[in-house]
Amino acid sequence: MKLRTSRRTALAAALALAVATAVAAPPDPSQAMLARYGGSYDADALLKEPAVRTELARLLGGELKHLQRNLSVAGGIGIVGGVLSYDGNADHQGGQEEAVVCVAPPGSLVEAAILSRRTVTVYARARRYDELTQCIKDWITLANSGHADRMQAPRNVRLAAAR
């Protein structure tokens, strides 16, 4: 009988320790940021996050207002390669004046790009194109295609619909 009680006590103690450890573990700020903003329409709050706001001001300087104007018509916040992605265009200027902001949680890495006058300018700490996030590079590909690939399948794409 004592052996059975000892096992129960040991199991209860192990369970209590596991619960206490799980409760005491600090939440991962990266996951919290992805959960808070991913799929939401709360771009104002994302762009006002202290780390994001500071980094955008540092990277863009006087072009920050241009970025904001080019994000005036936008949808929700997506997640591309584990990075928050927010893109849009200036009012009635899709395909001509566009922008994207990419934020790697917890806001320690911020990149932005502006499409204006058929030129994409990237604002980032990266020194080379291959160092940019997938978020920025995918947006550049989409912007350079004139968003055509969102509306019509490219020639080499075949759709195998479920039956």
Side-chain angles (χ1 to χ4, degrees):
M1 197 67 143
K2 280 189 171 193
L3 182 59
R4 194 176 275 172
T5 303
S6 296
R7 281 189 182 164
R8 285 184 188 164
T9 303
L11 286 172
L15 181 59
L17 179 63
V19 169
T21 303
V23 171
D28 181 352
S30 299
Q31 294 304 313
M33 192 175 209
L34 287 173
R36 177 173 180 199
Y37 293 112
S40 81
Y41 290 86
D42 200 3
D44 287 340
L46 173 64
L47 298 178
K48 287 179 182 173
E49 287 275 345
V52 175
R53 184 180 66 234
T54 300
E55 189 67 0
L56 284 174
R58 189 186 80 66
L59 291 171
L60 282 98
E63 284 295 295
L64 186 56
K65 289 187 186 212
H66 189 181
L67 176 84
Q68 292 167 333
R69 186 173 53 253
N70 283 14
L71 290 172
S72 62
V73 178
I77 300 168
I79 300 174
V80 177
V83 174
L84 294 165
S85 175
Y86 178 64
D87 65 279
N89 58 264
D91 198 23
H92 302 292
Q93 294 187 52
Q96 299 164 15
E97 289 288 333
E98 299 184 11
V100 66
V101 174
C102 299
V103 179
S108 55
L109 174 68
V110 177
E111 297 175 341
I114 296 174
L115 169 66
S116 184
R117 297 186 190 124
R118 291 185 264 180
T119 299
V120 174
T121 304
V122 177
Y123 301 89
R125 290 183 183 233
R127 300 278 185 220
R128 296 187 337 250
Y129 186 82
D130 66 334
E131 295 173 338
L132 295 171
T133 61
Q134 177 186 344
C135 173
I136 285 285
K137 292 187 274 189
D138 283 0
W139 180 84
I140 290 169
T141 301
L142 186 61
N144 281 340
S145 79
H147 304 277
D149 293 347
R150 278 191 171 169
M151 308 310 263
Q152 183 176 343
R155 289 181 174 182
N156 66 333
V157 174
R158 180 176 60 96
L159 183 62
R163 297 172 199 229

